[in-house]
Amino acid sequence: MAHGDVTGDFTKTPGWLDWYFRPSKPRFQLPAGAVDAHCHVFGPGAEFPYAPERKYTPCDASADQLFALRDHLGFERNVIVQATCHGADNSAMVDAVRRSNGKARGVATVRRDVTPEQLAELHEAGVRGVRFNFVKRLVDAVPTDALGEIVEKIAPLGWHVVIYFEADDLPDLYDFFSSIKTDVVVDHMGRPDVSKDVDGPEFGLFLQFMRDNPNVWCKVTCPERLTVSGAPALDGEQDAYADVVPFSRRVVEEFPDRVLWGTDWPHPNLKSHMPDDGLLVDHIPLIAPTAELQQKLLVDNPTRLYWHEGV
Ligand code: 0GY
């Protein structure tokens, strides 16, 4: 595969698992106005080539396929997060957001030299945040002073910063994260090691980070990514991803007004199994057990963050 080849040898990363082709219909009925607040589009590569600097080449996963999943699962809206395989070329994500008829918002990746004009165009398309990724297998490190410059540029637009990191890296990044003056949204609970104690020091630091910083929100997402004990049985029995539940539930119950949920479709880089997205939705009542918590998690919180100025 030639780096930068836009003519299209987009050979998938060896061992790549494609998304679940016929997800089940969830038994859990989502509340009206529910938002899938973390999902991606990939390409299609022939139309929106993957970035030369990418660390993986995914299967194509188009906007139309995402919208079909949205309708099938019972969501009304999506937040489409720029994936690292597209680098800072936001075209595929922006195209999807534009074609959603106001039913999607976007989170972009931008470089420190992004101009106010480029940001204004992204805003007009429906972008409301930028993502800073610290996961070493996904990106080369970007110095925090460059990220600080980006924060200065996006703050006047009322945008927020989405951060993706692993629990081991939180101690080093704590002060930088705490210095961000916009809202901050943490992907996948900061990737805790769920084989450790939910009351132990590692997750304790994450909870402290949320307590110390009332501008920090958390996506209680990706049990399929975080689980150590494994996938649910195909009938979606109640102990699905049981090892992740105490972590997600702890965050939902302590910070009910600062949590979001999403499918993470099309689930990049999963190695052991590909989840049925219908069963993932059925997992929600385990982490948000009351109708009030579900309404906040799925409707009120994402609507406040992404659609506060209307559709
Ligand atoms: C996720 C998780 C992953 C990938 C990305 O942008 C990305 O490439 O976010 C991952 O591999 O853990 O949120 O989709």
Side-chain angles (χ1 to χ4, degrees), residues 111 113-120 153:
R111 305 288 183 226
D113 60 359
V114 67
T115 65
E117 292 73 26
Q118 289 167 330
L119 290 174
K153 291 183 182 186

Side-chain angles (χ1 to χ4, degrees), residues 213-257:
N213 295 281
N215 60 327
V216 173
W217 302 50
C218 179
K219 291 180 197 164
V220 285
T221 33
C222 286
E224 75 287 1
R225 204 176 275 293
L226 300 175
T227 187
V228 176
S229 64
L234 284 176
D235 64 356
E237 89 290 15
Q238 283 300 295
D239 64 349
Y241 306 123
D243 53 348
V244 188
V245 170
F247 291 79
S248 322
R249 193 161 162 165
R250 175 68 59 86
V251 179
V252 169
E253 290 182 341
E254 184 168 346
F255 308 102
D257 297 312

Side-chain angles (χ1 to χ4, degrees), residues 38 40 56 83-84 131 137 164 188 191 225 264 268-269:
H38 186 92
H40 311 285
Y56 62 85
T84 57
R131 191 182 198 205
R137 70 183 157 79
Y164 189 24
H188 320 330
R191 293 200 62 120
R225 204 176 275 293
D264 193 31
N269 299 307

Side-chain angles (χ1 to χ4, degrees), residues 114-132:
V114 67
T115 65
E117 292 73 26
Q118 289 167 330
L119 290 174
E121 196 178 322
L122 288 169
H123 189 89
E124 184 272 322
V127 171
R128 294 294 180 268
V130 290
R131 191 182 198 205
F132 296 165

Side-chain angles (χ1 to χ4, degrees), residues 83-98:
T84 57
C85 55
H86 279 294
D89 175 355
N90 295 289
S91 326
M93 180 273 291
V94 164
D95 175 74
V97 173
R98 282 194 189 281

